[in-house]
């Protein structure tokens, strides 16, 4: 909320600088010229002064308006919900079948935002490279990387069905899901 208020204040200040700069440039560039023939004098406009003074005011106003817009955009990005990663769709090769198998037909579930947050909480100390839905409902395949080690990602099978995400300890179920994953 504070970012939006600051953005609006900077936006208004930019327009004020813009308009008052042009008015000031107009006032500064006009002067009265007296001659012996005309005792009242004539008002003359010095265009080079007008463009020099108004140019700097316009530039300063645009900079303030630009900073306000950047703050507004960054606030919008901050408030935006994280993008959920869905299984990648690739073009099948000649060896792969276009018709999905029975196990793939049964996977009609989606990863919710809460499920994704559970995974991020489970692996808060590691970098998550990929989250994919498994062929069994309630399970995900997560590729993680330890931030202190060289590039060597680990593939984990995670159960997101409970109150919190857990690594799958059942070797039979884990191997079945990993076998399906490596066939993809």
């Amino acid at each position: 909320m504070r970012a939006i208020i600051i953005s609006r204040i900077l936006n208004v200040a930019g327009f004020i600088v813009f308009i008052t700069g042009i008015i000031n440039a107009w006032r500064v560039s006009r002067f009265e010229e007296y001659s012996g023939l005309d005792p009242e004098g004539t008002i003359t406009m010095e265009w080079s002064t007008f463009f020099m003074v108004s140019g700097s005011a316009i530039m300063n106003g645009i900079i303030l308006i630009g900073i306000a817009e950047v703050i507004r955009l960054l606030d919008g990005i901050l408030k935006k919900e994280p993008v959920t990663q869905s299984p990648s769709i690739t073009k099948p090769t000649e060896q792969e079948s276009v018709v999905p198998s029975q196990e793939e037909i049964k996977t009609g579930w989606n990863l919710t935002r809460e499920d994704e947050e559970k995974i991020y909480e489970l692996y808060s100390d590691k970098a998550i490279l990929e989250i994919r839905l498994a062929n069994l409902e309630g399970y995900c395949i997560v590729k993680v990387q330890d931030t202190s080690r060289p590039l060597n990602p680990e593939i984990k099978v995670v159960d997101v069905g409970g109150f919190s995400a857990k690594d799958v300890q059942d070797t039979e179920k884990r191997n079945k899901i990993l076998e399906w994953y490596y066939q993809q």
Side-chain angles (χ1 to χ4, degrees):
M1 183 67 179
R2 268 186 21 197
I4 296 297
I5 292 171
I6 292 171
S7 173
R8 287 183 182 166
I9 290 171
L10 286 175
N11 202 359
V12 169
F15 279 113
I16 289 172
V17 166
F18 190 83
I19 291 169
T20 58
I22 290 175
I23 291 171
N24 189 35
W26 180 73
R27 280 188 34 230
V28 167
S29 63
R30 293 182 59 194
F31 63 93
E32 288 189 47
E33 191 174 348
Y34 296 102
S35 66
L37 301 174
D38 189 12
E40 291 182 17
T42 59
I43 297 177
T44 307
M45 184 80 159
E46 185 67 38
W47 289 103
S48 62
T49 306
F50 174 79
F51 288 122
M52 184 174 58
V53 174
S54 67
S56 65
I58 289 171
M59 185 172 45
N60 290 334
I62 287 175
I63 288 172
L64 282 175
I65 293 169
I67 291 171
E69 187 67 18
V70 167
I71 290 172
R72 188 186 64 79
L73 290 172
L74 288 175
D75 186 56
I77 290 171
L78 181 67
K79 289 180 180 177
K80 193 175 196 180
E81 293 182 6
V83 177
T84 58
Q85 294 182 353
S86 58
S88 61
I89 300 173
T90 57
K91 184 177 179 182
T93 60
E94 294 175 9
Q95 297 171 349
E96 294 178 348
S97 173
V98 178
V99 179
S101 67
Q102 290 292 18
E103 289 181 0
E104 292 175 354
I105 292 173
K106 292 178 184 176
T107 59
W109 73 287
N110 292 324
L111 188 66
T112 64
R113 183 173 169 214
E114 290 80 22
D115 293 339
E116 190 173 343
E117 287 174 1
K118 291 177 196 177
I119 294 170
Y120 279 103
E121 285 177 21
L122 179 64
Y123 297 113
S124 61
D125 59 335
K126 297 183 180 190
I128 297 176
L129 304 176
E130 179 183 13
I131 299 174
R132 269 183 111 177
L133 300 176
N135 58 343
L136 298 175
E137 187 172 348
Y139 295 94
C140 291
I141 298 160
V142 181
K143 192 182 287 188
V144 295
Q145 169 65 43
D146 192 1
T147 55
S148 61
R149 289 192 215 156
L151 187 62
N152 188 15
E154 298 176 69
I155 297 175
K156 304 280 189 174
V157 178
V158 179
D159 179 12
V160 292
F163 288 112
S164 62
K166 311 179 256 198
D167 283 328
V168 174
Q169 301 300 326
D170 184 11
T171 56
E172 183 180 322
K173 193 174 283 188
R174 184 178 188 283
N175 289 340
K176 183 178 178 184
I177 292 172
L178 286 176
E179 182 181 323
W180 171 83
Y181 174 71
Y182 289 127
Q183 288 177 357
Q184 294 290 317

